Amino acid sequence: MSETRLLTNAAIATMASGAPGAAYGLIANGAVAIRDRKITFAGPEAEAPEADSVLDCGGRVITPGLIDCHTHLVFGGNRAREFEARLNGKSYEEIARAGGGIISTVKATRAASEDALVESALPRLDALIAEGVTTIEIKSGYGLDTQSELKMLRAAKRLEGERAIRVKKTFLGAHAVPPEFDRRADDYIDHVCIEMLPAARAENLVDAVDGFCEGIGFTPDQITRVFEAAKSLGIPVKLHAEQISNLGGAKLAAGYGALSADHLEYLAPADAPDMAASGTVATLLPGAFYYLRETKLPPVDALREAGVPIAIATDCNPGSSPMTSVLLAMNMACTLFSLTPEEALAGVTRNAAKALGLGGECGVIENGATADLAIWNVRHPSELSYFIGYNPLYKRVFEGTL
Ligand code: DI6
Ligand code: FE
Protein backbone atom coordinates (compact mmCIF):
# COMPACT_ATOMS: atom_id res chain seq x y z
CA MET A 1 0.00 0.00 0.00
CA SER A 2 1.33 3.42 -0.83
CA GLU A 3 1.97 5.85 1.96
CA THR A 4 1.62 9.61 2.16
CA ARG A 5 4.62 11.52 3.45
CA LEU A 6 4.24 15.11 4.55
CA LEU A 7 6.90 17.82 4.71
CA THR A 8 5.77 20.57 7.08
CA ASN A 9 6.96 23.86 8.54
CA ALA A 10 8.58 25.07 5.32
CA ALA A 11 8.68 28.04 2.99
CA ILE A 12 7.85 26.52 -0.38
CA ALA A 13 9.21 28.10 -3.53
CA THR A 14 6.81 26.30 -5.84
CA MET A 15 8.13 28.01 -9.01
CA ALA A 16 4.75 27.18 -10.53
CA SER A 17 4.17 29.47 -13.49
CA GLY A 18 0.46 30.05 -13.04
CA ALA A 19 0.90 30.93 -9.38
CA PRO A 20 -0.41 34.47 -9.04
CA GLY A 21 1.19 37.07 -6.81
CA ALA A 22 4.03 35.86 -4.69
CA ALA A 23 7.54 35.86 -6.09
CA TYR A 24 8.95 32.32 -6.45
CA GLY A 25 5.34 31.14 -6.08
CA LEU A 26 6.25 31.26 -2.41
CA ILE A 27 4.01 29.65 0.20
CA ALA A 28 4.98 30.65 3.74
CA ASN A 29 4.09 28.16 6.49
CA GLY A 30 3.65 25.57 3.79
CA ALA A 31 3.52 21.81 3.47
CA VAL A 32 4.12 19.33 0.65
CA ALA A 33 2.50 15.89 0.52
CA ILE A 34 4.09 13.06 -1.47
CA ARG A 35 2.54 9.78 -2.55
CA ASP A 36 3.64 7.28 -5.18
CA ARG A 37 6.59 9.44 -6.31
CA LYS A 38 4.27 12.38 -6.98
CA ILE A 39 3.36 15.59 -5.24
CA THR A 40 -0.24 15.30 -4.07
CA PHE A 41 -0.48 18.57 -2.17
CA ALA A 42 1.45 21.83 -1.97
CA GLY A 43 -0.09 24.63 0.05
CA PRO A 44 -0.62 26.15 3.46
CA GLU A 45 0.16 23.71 6.24
CA ALA A 46 -3.22 24.37 7.82
CA GLU A 47 -4.85 22.73 4.77
CA ALA A 48 -2.47 19.76 4.48
CA PRO A 49 -3.93 16.25 4.25
CA GLU A 50 -3.46 13.43 6.77
CA ALA A 51 -0.19 11.59 6.35
CA ASP A 52 1.56 8.37 7.39
CA SER A 53 4.79 10.18 8.21
CA VAL A 54 5.80 13.78 8.78
CA LEU A 55 9.13 15.58 8.38
CA ASP A 56 9.29 18.93 10.15
CA CYS A 57 11.50 21.15 7.95
CA GLY A 58 12.18 23.65 10.73
CA GLY A 59 11.23 26.69 8.68
CA ARG A 60 13.63 25.82 5.86
CA VAL A 61 13.02 26.57 2.18
CA ILE A 62 11.85 23.82 -0.20
CA THR A 63 12.42 24.23 -3.93
CA PRO A 64 11.93 21.83 -6.81
CA GLY A 65 14.95 19.55 -7.24
CA LEU A 66 17.45 21.43 -9.39
CA ILE A 67 17.84 20.58 -13.08
CA ASP A 68 21.10 20.96 -15.02
CA CYS A 69 19.71 21.03 -18.55
CA HIS A 70 22.96 21.38 -20.56
CA THR A 71 26.04 19.32 -19.73
CA HIS A 72 28.79 17.37 -21.42
CA LEU A 73 29.38 15.48 -18.19
CA VAL A 74 30.80 12.33 -19.81
CA PHE A 75 34.25 12.78 -21.36
CA GLY A 76 37.77 11.36 -21.30
CA GLY A 77 40.79 13.22 -19.90
CA ASN A 78 40.77 16.92 -19.18
CA ARG A 79 42.15 20.10 -20.74
CA ALA A 80 44.04 21.76 -17.94
CA ARG A 81 47.05 22.08 -20.25
CA GLU A 82 44.94 23.93 -22.77
CA PHE A 83 43.72 26.23 -20.02
CA GLU A 84 47.38 26.93 -19.39
CA ALA A 85 47.97 27.61 -23.10
CA ARG A 86 45.11 30.07 -23.18
CA LEU A 87 46.63 31.90 -20.24
CA ASN A 88 49.86 32.00 -22.19
CA GLY A 89 48.11 33.91 -24.95
CA LYS A 90 46.31 31.47 -27.29
CA SER A 91 42.61 31.93 -28.03
CA TYR A 92 39.97 29.18 -27.78
CA GLU A 93 39.42 29.44 -31.53
CA GLU A 94 43.15 29.21 -32.33
CA ILE A 95 43.50 26.13 -30.17
CA ALA A 96 40.46 24.54 -31.81
CA ARG A 97 41.76 25.25 -35.32
CA ALA A 98 45.15 23.76 -34.42
CA GLY A 99 43.54 20.39 -33.63
CA GLY A 100 43.30 21.00 -29.91
CA GLY A 101 40.07 21.92 -28.21
CA ILE A 102 37.18 19.55 -28.72
CA ILE A 103 39.31 17.19 -30.83
CA SER A 104 41.78 16.59 -28.01
CA THR A 105 38.88 15.47 -25.80
CA VAL A 106 37.67 13.28 -28.68
CA LYS A 107 41.01 11.44 -28.66
CA ALA A 108 40.85 10.88 -24.90
CA THR A 109 37.20 9.83 -25.03
CA ARG A 110 37.78 7.35 -27.84
CA ALA A 111 40.64 5.83 -25.86
CA ALA A 112 38.55 5.43 -22.69
CA SER A 113 36.43 2.35 -21.97
CA GLU A 114 32.76 2.72 -21.14
CA ASP A 115 33.58 1.75 -17.55
CA ALA A 116 36.27 4.42 -17.37
CA LEU A 117 33.85 7.05 -18.69
CA VAL A 118 31.32 6.13 -16.01
CA GLU A 119 33.99 6.16 -13.30
CA SER A 120 35.35 9.56 -14.30
CA ALA A 121 31.88 11.11 -14.61
CA LEU A 122 30.63 9.93 -11.21
CA PRO A 123 32.52 12.45 -9.04
CA ARG A 124 31.23 15.26 -11.23
CA LEU A 125 27.71 13.87 -10.99
CA ASP A 126 28.07 13.55 -7.22
CA ALA A 127 29.08 17.21 -6.97
CA LEU A 128 25.84 18.16 -8.73
CA ILE A 129 23.75 15.77 -6.64
CA ALA A 130 25.24 17.29 -3.48
CA GLU A 131 23.65 20.58 -4.57
CA GLY A 132 20.18 19.12 -4.91
CA VAL A 133 20.25 18.28 -8.62
CA THR A 134 17.65 15.62 -9.46
CA THR A 135 17.65 15.80 -13.27
CA ILE A 136 20.59 16.21 -15.60
CA GLU A 137 21.03 16.32 -19.34
CA ILE A 138 24.18 14.70 -20.74
CA LYS A 139 25.34 15.07 -24.33
CA SER A 140 27.47 12.85 -26.51
CA GLY A 141 29.74 14.63 -28.96
CA TYR A 142 33.25 13.63 -27.93
CA GLY A 143 33.11 10.27 -29.72
CA LEU A 144 32.28 11.41 -33.25
CA ASP A 145 32.22 7.88 -34.62
CA THR A 146 29.36 5.47 -34.18
CA GLN A 147 30.89 3.21 -31.57
CA SER A 148 32.37 6.04 -29.49
CA GLU A 149 29.14 8.04 -29.56
CA LEU A 150 27.20 4.96 -28.48
CA LYS A 151 29.78 4.35 -25.75
CA MET A 152 29.27 7.88 -24.38
CA LEU A 153 25.49 7.57 -24.43
CA ARG A 154 25.59 4.15 -22.78
CA ALA A 155 27.83 5.60 -20.07
CA ALA A 156 25.33 8.46 -19.57
CA LYS A 157 22.51 5.94 -19.30
CA ARG A 158 24.45 3.85 -16.78
CA LEU A 159 24.88 6.88 -14.51
CA GLU A 160 21.13 6.80 -14.01
CA GLY A 161 21.50 3.33 -12.53
CA GLU A 162 24.45 4.33 -10.36
CA ARG A 163 22.69 7.20 -8.61
CA ALA A 164 19.18 8.38 -7.75
CA ILE A 165 18.92 10.83 -10.63
CA ARG A 166 17.08 11.27 -13.92
CA VAL A 167 19.37 11.47 -16.97
CA LYS A 168 18.24 12.87 -20.31
CA LYS A 169 20.54 11.83 -23.14
CA THR A 170 21.25 14.15 -26.05
CA PHE A 171 22.97 13.05 -29.26
CA LEU A 172 25.54 15.66 -30.29
CA GLY A 173 27.20 13.91 -33.23
CA ALA A 174 27.38 17.30 -34.98
CA HIS A 175 29.74 18.77 -32.38
CA ALA A 176 32.94 18.85 -34.42
CA VAL A 177 34.37 17.30 -37.58
CA PRO A 178 36.46 14.26 -36.57
CA PRO A 179 39.99 13.92 -37.99
CA GLU A 180 39.02 11.11 -40.40
CA PHE A 181 36.54 13.49 -42.09
CA ASP A 182 38.98 16.43 -42.19
CA ARG A 183 37.71 19.05 -44.66
CA ARG A 184 34.75 16.79 -45.46
CA ALA A 185 32.21 18.22 -43.06
CA ASP A 186 29.34 17.52 -45.46
CA ASP A 187 30.30 13.86 -45.72
CA TYR A 188 30.50 13.70 -41.95
CA ILE A 189 27.02 15.18 -41.62
CA ASP A 190 25.74 12.45 -43.98
CA HIS A 191 27.37 9.90 -41.72
CA VAL A 192 25.77 11.51 -38.65
CA CYS A 193 22.32 11.47 -40.26
CA ILE A 194 22.43 8.13 -42.04
CA GLU A 195 24.38 5.98 -39.66
CA MET A 196 25.21 7.42 -36.23
CA LEU A 197 21.86 8.90 -35.21
CA PRO A 198 19.76 5.91 -36.32
CA ALA A 199 22.18 3.55 -34.50
CA ALA A 200 21.90 5.55 -31.28
CA ARG A 201 18.16 5.76 -31.70
CA ALA A 202 17.90 2.00 -32.23
CA GLU A 203 19.42 1.48 -28.77
CA ASN A 204 17.00 3.97 -27.26
CA LEU A 205 19.86 6.27 -26.29
CA VAL A 206 18.52 9.55 -27.69
CA ASP A 207 16.05 11.88 -25.99
CA ALA A 208 17.05 14.88 -28.11
CA VAL A 209 19.40 15.84 -30.95
CA ASP A 210 21.80 18.79 -30.66
CA GLY A 211 24.42 20.45 -32.88
CA PHE A 212 27.13 23.09 -32.74
CA CYS A 213 26.24 25.86 -35.20
CA GLU A 214 29.39 28.00 -35.48
CA GLY A 215 32.25 28.89 -37.81
CA ILE A 216 34.35 26.32 -35.93
CA GLY A 217 31.39 23.92 -35.91
CA PHE A 218 28.71 23.41 -38.55
CA THR A 219 26.84 25.70 -40.93
CA PRO A 220 23.10 26.34 -40.70
CA ASP A 221 22.67 24.18 -43.85
CA GLN A 222 24.49 21.28 -42.24
CA ILE A 223 22.51 21.67 -39.01
CA THR A 224 19.31 21.72 -41.08
CA ARG A 225 20.18 18.27 -42.42
CA VAL A 226 20.72 16.98 -38.90
CA PHE A 227 17.40 18.49 -37.78
CA GLU A 228 15.61 16.89 -40.74
CA ALA A 229 17.04 13.50 -39.77
CA ALA A 230 15.88 14.03 -36.17
CA LYS A 231 12.45 15.11 -37.37
CA SER A 232 12.05 12.02 -39.53
CA LEU A 233 12.75 9.91 -36.43
CA GLY A 234 10.40 11.98 -34.28
CA ILE A 235 13.17 13.21 -31.94
CA PRO A 236 13.11 16.78 -30.55
CA VAL A 237 16.03 19.08 -31.31
CA LYS A 238 18.09 21.75 -29.54
CA LEU A 239 21.10 23.76 -30.65
CA HIS A 240 24.36 25.37 -29.51
CA ALA A 241 23.71 28.70 -31.18
CA GLU A 242 25.26 32.16 -31.29
CA GLN A 243 27.99 31.33 -28.78
CA ILE A 244 30.88 33.07 -30.54
CA SER A 245 29.24 34.44 -33.69
CA ASN A 246 25.78 35.01 -35.14
CA LEU A 247 24.85 32.47 -37.81
CA GLY A 248 21.11 32.63 -37.12
CA GLY A 249 21.14 29.28 -35.36
CA ALA A 250 18.52 30.19 -32.77
CA LYS A 251 16.05 31.23 -35.45
CA LEU A 252 16.76 28.04 -37.37
CA ALA A 253 16.20 25.97 -34.22
CA ALA A 254 12.96 27.84 -33.46
CA GLY A 255 11.75 26.91 -36.96
CA TYR A 256 12.08 23.26 -35.92
CA GLY A 257 10.24 23.86 -32.64
CA ALA A 258 13.48 23.25 -30.75
CA LEU A 259 13.31 22.57 -27.03
CA SER A 260 16.09 25.09 -26.49
CA ALA A 261 18.74 27.24 -28.11
CA ASP A 262 21.81 27.46 -25.91
CA HIS A 263 24.57 30.05 -25.21
CA LEU A 264 23.09 32.95 -27.27
CA GLU A 265 25.63 35.68 -26.47
CA TYR A 266 25.52 36.74 -30.13
CA LEU A 267 21.77 36.31 -30.58
CA ALA A 268 20.19 39.16 -32.57
CA PRO A 269 17.51 40.67 -30.32
CA ALA A 270 15.16 40.57 -33.33
CA ASP A 271 15.28 36.75 -33.26
CA ALA A 272 13.90 36.47 -29.72
CA PRO A 273 10.21 36.62 -30.79
CA ASP A 274 10.77 33.56 -33.04
CA MET A 275 11.97 31.64 -30.01
CA ALA A 276 8.99 32.77 -27.97
CA ALA A 277 6.58 31.72 -30.71
CA SER A 278 8.01 28.20 -30.89
CA GLY A 279 8.30 27.82 -27.12
CA THR A 280 12.07 27.44 -27.48
CA VAL A 281 13.86 27.96 -24.17
CA ALA A 282 16.92 30.25 -24.09
CA THR A 283 19.50 28.30 -22.12
CA LEU A 284 22.20 30.66 -20.87
CA LEU A 285 25.57 29.23 -19.83
CA PRO A 286 27.40 31.78 -17.69
CA GLY A 287 30.18 29.32 -16.85
CA ALA A 288 31.33 29.24 -20.49
CA PHE A 289 30.95 33.01 -20.76
CA TYR A 290 33.16 33.42 -17.71
CA TYR A 291 35.70 30.77 -18.60
CA LEU A 292 36.22 32.06 -22.15
CA ARG A 293 36.30 35.62 -20.86
CA GLU A 294 33.56 36.50 -23.29
CA THR A 295 32.49 40.13 -23.11
CA LYS A 296 29.40 40.12 -25.35
CA LEU A 297 26.35 39.66 -23.15
CA PRO A 298 23.33 37.64 -24.25
CA PRO A 299 20.38 39.96 -25.01
CA VAL A 300 18.54 39.23 -21.79
CA ASP A 301 16.20 42.22 -22.06
CA ALA A 302 15.08 41.16 -25.54
CA LEU A 303 14.46 37.62 -24.28
CA ARG A 304 12.42 38.97 -21.37
CA GLU A 305 10.42 41.34 -23.55
CA ALA A 306 9.60 38.59 -26.02
CA GLY A 307 8.61 36.25 -23.20
CA VAL A 308 11.23 33.60 -23.94
CA PRO A 309 11.68 31.24 -20.95
CA ILE A 310 15.28 31.46 -19.71
CA ALA A 311 17.13 28.40 -18.36
CA ILE A 312 20.57 28.35 -16.72
CA ALA A 313 22.97 25.40 -16.85
CA THR A 314 26.57 24.53 -16.06
CA ASP A 315 27.58 23.42 -19.60
CA CYS A 316 29.95 21.17 -17.61
CA ASN A 317 32.61 20.25 -20.18
CA PRO A 318 36.40 19.95 -20.22
CA GLY A 319 37.07 22.90 -22.56
CA SER A 320 34.89 25.92 -22.03
CA SER A 321 33.17 25.31 -18.69
CA PRO A 322 34.76 22.76 -16.35
CA MET A 323 32.17 23.58 -13.73
CA THR A 324 30.11 21.24 -11.57
CA SER A 325 28.05 23.74 -9.59
CA VAL A 326 24.54 24.76 -10.50
CA LEU A 327 24.50 27.15 -7.54
CA LEU A 328 27.56 28.90 -8.95
CA ALA A 329 25.89 29.05 -12.37
CA MET A 330 22.92 30.75 -10.70
CA ASN A 331 25.16 33.28 -8.98
CA MET A 332 27.00 33.96 -12.25
CA ALA A 333 23.70 34.37 -14.13
CA CYS A 334 22.87 37.13 -11.64
CA THR A 335 26.27 38.82 -11.44
CA LEU A 336 27.27 38.48 -15.12
CA PHE A 337 23.92 38.49 -16.96
CA SER A 338 21.87 40.57 -14.48
CA LEU A 339 19.21 37.94 -13.96
CA THR A 340 17.27 38.27 -10.75
CA PRO A 341 17.65 35.49 -8.15
CA GLU A 342 14.07 34.50 -8.95
CA GLU A 343 14.88 34.23 -12.67
CA ALA A 344 18.00 32.24 -11.84
CA LEU A 345 16.01 29.76 -9.75
CA ALA A 346 13.35 29.48 -12.47
CA GLY A 347 16.28 28.86 -14.83
CA VAL A 348 17.36 25.72 -12.99
CA THR A 349 13.85 24.48 -12.20
CA ARG A 350 10.73 25.27 -14.23
CA ASN A 351 12.46 26.50 -17.39
CA ALA A 352 15.22 23.89 -17.30
CA ALA A 353 12.48 21.25 -17.23
CA LYS A 354 10.94 22.82 -20.35
CA ALA A 355 14.33 22.72 -22.06
CA LEU A 356 14.29 18.94 -21.56
CA GLY A 357 10.69 18.38 -22.60
CA LEU A 358 9.73 17.81 -18.96
CA GLY A 359 7.66 20.96 -18.52
CA GLY A 360 5.00 20.52 -15.84
CA GLU A 361 6.37 17.10 -14.79
CA CYS A 362 9.54 18.35 -13.10
CA GLY A 363 10.90 21.69 -11.95
CA VAL A 364 7.75 22.82 -10.14
CA ILE A 365 6.08 22.00 -6.85
CA GLU A 366 2.45 21.43 -7.65
CA ASN A 367 -0.14 18.70 -7.62
CA GLY A 368 0.72 15.87 -9.97
CA ALA A 369 4.34 16.86 -10.55
CA THR A 370 7.15 14.40 -9.79
CA ALA A 371 8.26 14.62 -6.15
CA ASP A 372 11.81 15.86 -6.83
CA LEU A 373 12.63 18.39 -4.13
CA ALA A 374 15.52 20.17 -2.48
CA ILE A 375 15.31 21.34 1.14
CA TRP A 376 17.73 24.15 1.98
CA ASN A 377 19.31 25.56 5.10
CA VAL A 378 18.19 29.03 4.09
CA ARG A 379 15.32 31.34 5.08
CA HIS A 380 14.62 32.82 1.66
CA PRO A 381 15.20 31.43 -1.87
CA SER A 382 17.28 34.48 -2.88
CA GLU A 383 20.07 33.02 -0.71
CA LEU A 384 20.59 30.28 -3.29
CA SER A 385 21.92 32.78 -5.83
CA TYR A 386 23.60 34.96 -3.26
CA PHE A 387 26.32 32.73 -1.84
CA ILE A 388 29.51 31.86 -3.73
CA GLY A 389 31.07 28.47 -3.08
CA TYR A 390 28.74 27.66 -0.21
CA ASN A 391 26.27 24.81 -0.42
CA PRO A 392 23.28 25.11 1.90
CA LEU A 393 21.56 21.86 0.86
CA TYR A 394 19.83 20.13 3.79
CA LYS A 395 18.09 17.20 2.11
CA ARG A 396 17.26 16.08 -1.38
CA VAL A 397 14.17 14.15 -2.43
CA PHE A 398 14.19 12.14 -5.67
CA GLU A 399 10.89 10.70 -6.86
CA GLY A 400 9.52 10.89 -3.34
CA THR A 401 12.51 9.21 -1.70
CA LEU A 402 14.54 11.17 0.82
N1 DI6 B 1 30.15 24.74 -27.01
C1 DI6 B 1 30.72 24.65 -25.82
O1 DI6 B 1 30.78 25.52 -25.00
C2 DI6 B 1 31.19 23.30 -25.64
N2 DI6 B 1 30.76 22.66 -26.82
C3 DI6 B 1 30.18 23.53 -27.59
O2 DI6 B 1 29.70 23.22 -28.66
C4 DI6 B 1 32.68 23.27 -25.53
C5 DI6 B 1 33.21 21.93 -25.82
C6 DI6 B 1 34.70 21.83 -25.60
O3 DI6 B 1 35.45 22.81 -25.73
O4 DI6 B 1 35.13 20.70 -25.32
FE1 FE C 1 27.63 22.85 -24.55
Side-chain angles (χ1 to χ4, degrees):
M1 229 185 56
S2 62
E3 303 217 320
T4 297
R5 180 195 283 277
L6 195 63
L7 310 181
T8 61
N9 191 15
I12 304 167
T14 66
M15 305 313 287
S17 55
Y24 302 91
L26 202 67
I27 303 170
N29 307 314
V32 181
I34 300 166
R35 191 187 167 102
D36 291 335
R37 303 176 180 208
K38 300 275 186 200
I39 294 163
T40 54
F41 171 86
E45 188 173 329
E47 296 167 21
E50 290 287 301
D52 301 288
S53 65
V54 175
L55 175 74
D56 183 327
C57 293
R60 293 181 175 86
V61 169
I62 304 181
T63 68
L66 304 189
I67 299 172
D68 195 355
C69 69
H70 179 142
T71 88
H72 310 250
L73 195 86
V74 170
F75 56 82
N78 72 55
R79 306 232 291 276
R81 298 301 301 279
E82 185 176 304
F83 175 64
E84 219 170 24
R86 283 205 289 119
L87 287 164
N88 282 306
K90 293 237 182 319
S91 76
Y92 183 66
E93 217 162 335
E94 274 170 347
I95 291 166
R97 288 191 191 282
I102 292 174
I103 292 306
S104 70
T105 298
V106 171
K107 285 181 195 137
T109 303
R110 285 180 175 179
S113 67
E114 188 184 310
D115 284 349
L117 290 177
V118 170
E119 283 307 307
S120 65
L122 274 173
R124 296 188 282 270
L125 185 63
D126 285 336
L128 292 166
I129 287 172
E131 288 189 343
V133 171
T134 48
T135 302
I136 181 177
E137 183 252 21
I138 302 178
K139 302 174 193 295
S140 69
Y142 289 122
L144 309 185
D145 62 42
T146 306
Q147 282 319 311
S148 305
E149 287 288 290
L150 290 175
K151 178 175 69 181
M152 285 188 76
L153 291 166
R154 288 180 194 131
K157 186 175 183 169
R158 270 175 57 188
L159 291 172
E160 197 167 35
E162 298 281 340
R163 296 290 186 272
I165 192 157
R166 185 174 303 99
V167 176
K168 285 289 194 175
K169 302 172 294 301
T170 298
F171 173 75
L172 180 55
H175 194 194
V177 180
E180 57 279 19
F181 281 88
D182 192 28
R183 282 183 287 245
R184 292 191 297 128
D186 279 312
D187 292 346
Y188 177 63
I189 289 294
D190 279 341
H191 188 61
V192 165
C193 296
I194 296 165
E195 188 187 315
M196 293 163 72
L197 174 57
R201 173 64 163 186
E203 267 195 50
N204 197 19
L205 292 170
V206 187
D207 299 308
V209 170
D210 196 349
F212 187 34
C213 188
E214 277 300 340
I216 58 168
F218 296 93
T219 65
D221 281 352
Q222 290 162 343
I223 295 296
T224 298
R225 283 157 59 204
V226 175
F227 282 0
E228 283 296 325
K231 190 173 161 186
S232 71
L233 294 168
I235 309 171
V237 300
K238 44 178 57 220
L239 190 64
H240 284 72
E242 274 78 82
Q243 180 185 7
I244 48 182
S245 62
N246 180 2
L247 300 184
K251 199 179 167 88
L252 169 67
Y256 280 84
L259 291 171
S260 67
D262 304 37
H263 288 287
L264 302 178
E265 282 87 338
Y266 288 80
L267 176 72
D271 289 348
D274 287 76
M275 295 179 64
S278 60
T280 300
V281 173
T283 299
L284 305 183
L285 306 166
F289 175 93
Y290 164 84
Y291 209 71
L292 299 178
R293 298 190 185 185
E294 179 57 68
T295 52
K296 176 108 170 62
L297 289 163
V300 169
D301 282 337
L303 293 169
R304 283 184 184 126
E305 270 159 39
V308 180
I310 299 175
I312 304 296
T314 63
D315 194 16
C316 177
N317 77 68
S320 65
S321 188
M323 173 163 84
T324 57
S325 172
V326 171
L327 293 173
L328 182 56
M330 290 167 70
N331 173 268
M332 286 176 164
C334 295
T335 53
L336 300 174
F337 297 164
S338 301
L339 263 65
T340 65
E342 185 181 4
E343 288 174 321
L345 185 56
V348 298
T349 55
R350 182 181 70 238
N351 294 339
K354 269 189 201 138
L356 298 180
L358 294 170
E361 273 173 66
C362 295
V364 289
I365 301 180
E366 61 189 5
N367 254 348
T370 304
D372 292 348
L373 305 169
I375 310 174
W376 304 94
N377 284 316
V378 302
R379 294 283 143 178
H380 189 269
S382 58
E383 290 176 57
L384 301 177
S385 293
Y386 160 79
F387 288 111
I388 301 171
Y390 171 63
N391 177 4
L393 188 77
Y394 174 61
K395 284 182 192 302
R396 171 183 177 275
V397 178
F398 176 71
E399 291 187 347
T401 301
L402 246 98

